[in-house]
Amino acid sequence: MAKELKGIAASDGIAIAKAYLLVEPDLSYEKTEVTDVESEVKRFESALEVSRKELSMIREKAAKDLGEDKAQIFDAHLLVLNDPELTGPIEESIKNAKTNAETALQETTDMFIGMFESMDNEYMRERAADIKDVRKRVLSHLLGVTIPNPALIDEEVVVVAADLTPSDTAQLNRNFVKGFVTDIGGRTSHSAIMARSLEIPAVVGTKEVTASVAKNDIVIIDGLEGNVIIHPTEEQIAHYEKIKSDFALQQAEWDKLKNEKTVSKDGVHVELAANIGTPNDLEGVISNGGEAVGLYRTEFLYMGRDNFPTEEEQFEAYKAVVSGMDGKSVVVRTLDIGGDKTLPYLELPEEMNPFLGFRAIRLCFANEELFRTQLRALLRASVYGNLKIMFPMIATVNEFRQARDILLDEKAKLKAAGTEVSDSIELGIMIEIPAAAVLADQFAKEVDFFSIGTNDLIQYTMAADRMNERVSYLYQPYNPSILRLVKMVIDASHKEGKWTGMCGEMAGDQTAVPLLLGLGLDEFSMSASSILKSRSLIKRLDQSEMVKLAEEALNKSTAEEVVELVEKYTAE
Ligand code: PEP
Ligand code: MG
C-alpha cells in the first residue's frame, strides 16, 4: 500500500525511482566460543579476501571518477588489510582464546587503535582511523551485511538517508542519483543547498523516511511541495509524471530568459547572481543565465580530502572561477568551516553550540597561516577577472579591520616580491550576525559591500537552529523582524554609496523576491536553478509598487500576514 510522508521541499523537481538506502548498517554481534577454530580462521580469511576485492574495486572507481589523490586513501586501507602484524594477532586470538572472529577482530583492533590514538603524532592517529574503517568493512562481511557507498551507485535511484553530510552529497553522481530524501535537515542545511546546485529534486526533514522505506522500494520525491510517496499506485505515478512534464515545460519557458538582463516592469535593473561550491558549478551558472557569482563557498575545496589544499591548488580553483566568469563579478567568501561543515583532517573541539562557536573567521584568526595561504591564492587570482572578497561571520568592526589588515599585509608582500595583484578588489562582509546588521551604518563606512547571509541571520535572530526540523516553524524569512534588519542593512549601505546583496537562500525564494525588490536589494544571489524563475517573476513586477508593498510588510506583526500580502504578486 502506498505510504505518504510530508517533509520540507529542498530542491525543485520530481523524481521517481527505486530506493538506495544510505544508512549505517547494524554491525552488532554476540561474543561466542568456537569449537572448530580452523574453520573460524577460514571464515575470517575469506572476509579479509572479500574486503580486499571490494576495496580494490572502490579504489579503481575513485581513481577514475575523483582522481588519483582521492583514491590514495584506499591504498592506506589495503595496506592495513594486508598487514600480517594486524591480521596475525587476530588469528592467534581466534585459535588461543577460541572466540568467534567478530570478537577477535574487535578486541585486537581496539588494542591497536588505542595505542595509535594515544600517540602524539598525526600520522599514527590517521592510521587508527584507517584501522577503524577497515574493521568496519571486514565486520560487515563476517556478518553478511552491506555498507552502502554513494560513490558506487551505478543505476538510477533515489537516495534515502537519515542525513547527508556535505561530503556525502559531493559524492553523488547526478547521472544516477535522481533525487534524495532525508529524515532530518532544513531548507538551508548544506546538503539541501548542494542538491539545488546539483539540480536534483530533494525533500528533507521527513522524520521517518529511513524507517518507512526498504531497499529497492519505488519512491516518488516531490521536491516542489515536499511530498514523498512510498510504493505509489499506478494513478499516483501517472499524476506525478504529469507534474514532472509540466515542470519541464515551465523550465523550457524560463529558459528563454537566459540571455536577458533582469529588469523590472518599470525598468529597474537588479543583478541575479549564483551561489557556487566548486569551479564545476560554473556550468550551471552559465546555463541558467547567471549575471555574476554572488557567493563562492570556498570551504568545499577543503572537503572530501585528507589534507589542506595547497596555495597552488587554491589558486588554480579561484583562477578557473574568476576567468570562467569572463569579467563578470565573482564574490569569493573566505573559509567558513565549523557548524555543520567539518574537515576530517582538522580536529575541532567538541562544542555545545557549534553554530555559535569556533567557526568561519574566528577559526581563521586562530589559524592565521591557513587564512594567509587562502588570501595569497585569492590575491594572485585577482588579475584574471573581477574578484571581490568577503569575510564570513563578522560580528564586530574590529574583526573586519583585522581580516582586512591581514589581507593588505599579504598583498603588500606579494607586490614586493613582484607578483601582480589587482588594485580594484572590492572587500565586503557577510551580514549573518544580528549585531552586524544593527551596526550596519558603521560597517558601511569601511566596507565596499554587504552580502546578507539570511541562512544564518534568521537562525541567530529567531534563536532557531537552521538544521532542526522541530523548530523549523520559527525559521521565518518573512517575519517583519527579519525584513526590518534587511532594510537597515540596505539603507545603511546606500547612504554610504555602497551596495548590498543577499546570498542566503531567501534571495531565491519566490515569496521573498517582491519584498526584497521593494526594499532596494541590489544583488540577489541564489542556487543557479532558481535564477530563471526569479528573472521571470521580477520582469512581471513594478519596483515602485514593491516599495509600497515592502513598507506595508515592515509594519505587519506576523510572517503569515506578510505572506498574505505578497501572495497576489507571486501567482503565475
Ligand atoms: C548564509 O548564512 O546565509 C550563507 C549564505 O552562508 P552558509 O549557508 O554557507 O552558512
Ligand atoms: Mg552562513
Side-chain angles (χ1 to χ4, degrees):
M1 228 195 35
K3 175 167 179 170
E4 298 185 22
L5 299 177
K6 187 80 193 160
I8 298 164
S11 180
D12 283 351
I14 307 289
I16 307 174
K18 59 185 184 179
Y20 179 92
L21 273 114
L22 193 58
V23 287
E24 276 296 307
D26 178 6
L27 295 177
S28 54
Y29 60 86
E30 297 278 320
K31 177 173 183 170
T32 54
E33 194 170 307
V34 290
T35 41
D36 185 353
V37 287
E38 285 311 320
S39 71
E40 192 64 3
V41 168
K42 280 215 178 77
R43 194 166 76 86
F44 173 64
E45 280 173 351
S46 71
L48 280 181
E49 189 48 35
V50 189
S51 302
R52 247 177 235 128
K53 282 198 183 123
E54 191 178 62
L55 266 176
S56 307
M57 198 176 74
I58 296 175
R59 195 221 174 276
E60 216 171 288
K61 186 153 171 34
K64 198 163 99 238
D65 297 350
L66 307 169
E68 192 56 35
D69 56 328
K70 297 261 162 60
Q72 278 169 10
I73 174 114
F74 300 109
D75 289 335
H77 292 186
L78 278 163
L79 274 180
V80 172
L81 260 182
N82 290 325
D83 185 353
E85 296 208 21
L86 180 76
T87 55
I90 298 172
E91 292 184 6
E92 285 309 306
S93 163
I94 297 173
K95 285 180 192 154
N96 299 339
K98 294 193 174 11
T99 57
N100 54 342
E102 289 85 344
T103 309
L105 171 70
Q106 183 81 27
E107 290 178 353
T108 313
T109 47
D110 269 350
M111 198 181 70
F112 282 102
I113 291 167
M115 198 165 80
F116 288 158
E117 276 181 344
S118 67
M119 290 183 186
D120 191 21
N121 174 326
E122 195 176 336
Y123 177 80
M124 294 320 268
R125 284 201 300 271
E126 276 173 23
R127 298 293 71 78
D130 291 339
I131 297 176
K132 274 189 202 161
D133 255 311
V134 167
R135 168 169 76 188
K136 191 167 153 190
R137 188 169 304 283
V138 178
L139 197 52
S140 78
H141 289 301
L142 284 170
L143 295 168
V145 296
T146 320
I147 299 178
N149 183 337
L152 291 181
I153 297 173
D154 57 2
E155 55 179 345
E156 290 198 359
V157 294
V158 294
V159 166
V160 175
D163 187 18
L164 281 173
T165 63
S167 69
D168 285 334
T169 321
Q171 290 185 61
L172 302 180
N173 179 341
R174 57 182 281 210
N175 291 330
F176 299 121
V177 177
K178 294 296 158 193
F180 75 72
V181 49
T182 62
D183 287 336
I184 68 170
R187 234 191 103 73
T188 62
S189 48
H190 285 96
S191 50
I193 290 171
M194 288 183 74
R196 287 195 283 283
S197 65
L198 287 168
E199 298 185 51
I200 56 177
V203 173
V204 298
T206 61
K207 297 191 180 79
E208 50 176 331
V209 70
T210 53
S212 314
V213 175
K215 188 175 159 187
N216 293 336
D217 281 353
I218 297 294
V219 177
I220 298 178
I221 294 180
D222 169 7
L224 297 162
E225 299 290 339
N227 299 317
V228 178
I229 302 172
I230 304 149
H231 296 306
T233 60
E234 290 294 321
E235 290 75 36
Q236 284 171 318
I237 292 183
H239 174 70
Y240 277 99
E241 289 287 6
K242 170 86 172 70
I243 297 180
K244 191 174 170 182
S245 65
D246 287 350
F247 184 62
L249 286 178
Q250 172 74 81
Q251 277 186 311
E253 270 308 299
W254 289 331
D255 237 26
K256 295 179 185 155
L257 303 175
K258 208 163 94 175
N259 299 316
E260 294 196 13
K261 288 258 171 238
T262 314
V263 184
S264 67
K265 216 161 94 188
D266 54 348
V268 177
H269 174 245
V270 291
E271 192 166 67
L272 286 197
N275 296 345
I276 64 168
T278 76
N280 291 341
D281 294 342
L282 272 196
E283 208 184 301
V285 179
I286 292 162
S287 66
N288 284 291
E291 292 165 76
V293 168
L295 168 66
Y296 175 6
R297 288 183 165 93
T298 54
E299 50 277 10
F300 290 107
L301 196 63
Y302 293 66
M303 290 180 185
R305 48 186 298 146
D306 49 18
N307 48 18
F308 284 107
T310 61
E311 180 181 325
E312 214 46 40
E313 281 175 87
Q314 294 192 55
F315 166 70
E316 289 301 333
Y318 305 149
K319 179 180 158 192
V321 172
V322 171
S323 56
M325 285 305 285
D326 211 10
K328 293 191 184 108
S329 167
V330 173
V331 180
V332 181
R333 174 175 77 184
T334 59
L335 187 61
D336 181 5
I337 283 298
D340 64 337
K341 291 175 285 197
T342 54
L343 300 177
Y345 51 90
L346 175 68
E347 218 170 308
L348 292 176
E350 277 281 321
E351 293 183 307
M352 294 281 282
N353 291 302
F355 272 106
L356 296 182
F358 189 54
R359 62 174 284 207
I361 200 76
R362 304 163 183 193
L363 189 144
C364 285
F365 287 152
N367 295 274
E368 207 174 293
E369 251 334 289
L370 183 72
F371 190 41
R372 285 180 181 269
T373 305
Q374 178 172 43
L375 295 176
R376 276 195 303 277
L378 280 169
L379 288 163
R380 287 171 52 204
S382 66
V383 292
Y384 294 92
N386 182 2
L387 171 74
K388 300 181 168 74
I389 297 177
M390 110 176 135
F391 304 117
M393 288 290 290
I394 295 286
T396 67
V397 172
N398 280 337
E399 277 181 330
F400 168 69
R401 290 178 183 152
Q402 186 178 346
R404 177 201 57 201
D405 291 348
I406 297 174
L407 179 82
L408 293 179
D409 185 42
E410 284 304 324
K411 182 176 169 185
K413 284 194 216 156
L414 282 172
K415 284 186 133 183
T419 307
E420 251 194 285
V421 178
S422 163
D423 278 319
S424 53
I425 306 172
E426 286 189 24
L427 268 195
I429 60 167
M430 303 250 332
I431 299 276
E432 40 193 351
I433 298 180
V438 172
L439 208 62
D441 56 334
Q442 298 303 320
F443 279 102
K445 295 176 187 158
E446 306 195 26
V447 305
D448 296 315
F449 67 92
F450 293 132
S451 186
I452 308 177
T454 46
N455 302 342
D456 280 314
L457 184 64
I458 297 168
Q459 76 166 345
Y460 297 138
T461 306
M462 306 299 292
D465 184 343
R466 66 194 261 190
M467 306 279 290
N468 185 340
E469 67 285 351
R470 285 198 190 84
V471 293
S472 63
Y473 71 99
L474 280 172
Y475 194 89
Q476 300 178 349
Y478 325 114
N479 190 295
S481 60
I482 302 294
L483 300 178
R484 287 185 188 194
L485 285 177
V486 170
K487 179 179 165 51
M488 280 174 74
V489 175
I490 297 173
D491 290 353
S493 69
H494 289 174
K495 207 161 154 232
E496 296 292 335
K498 314 287 170 67
W499 60 274
T500 296
M502 178 179 285
C503 59
E505 292 303 302
M506 184 176 175
D509 175 333
Q510 302 299 281
T511 305
V513 166
L515 294 164
L516 298 172
L517 185 65
L519 290 170
L521 189 72
D522 303 292
E523 177 235 43
F524 297 58
S525 192
M526 57 192 72
S527 309
S529 56
S530 301
I531 290 178
L532 292 170
K533 71 176 171 191
S534 302
R535 183 167 297 155
S536 157
L537 173 60
I538 291 171
K539 285 171 88 72
R540 285 183 272 129
L541 300 173
D542 260 317
Q543 202 256 358
S544 58
E545 206 179 320
M546 294 308 108
V547 171
K548 292 193 201 108
L549 174 83
E551 246 167 49
E552 236 186 295
L554 289 167
N555 289 305
K556 292 288 178 199
S557 21
T558 67
E560 289 76 11
E561 286 167 24
V562 172
V563 172
E564 213 181 299
L565 204 62
V566 186
E567 246 158 17
K568 67 171 187 276
Y569 296 101
T570 52
E572 282 286 321

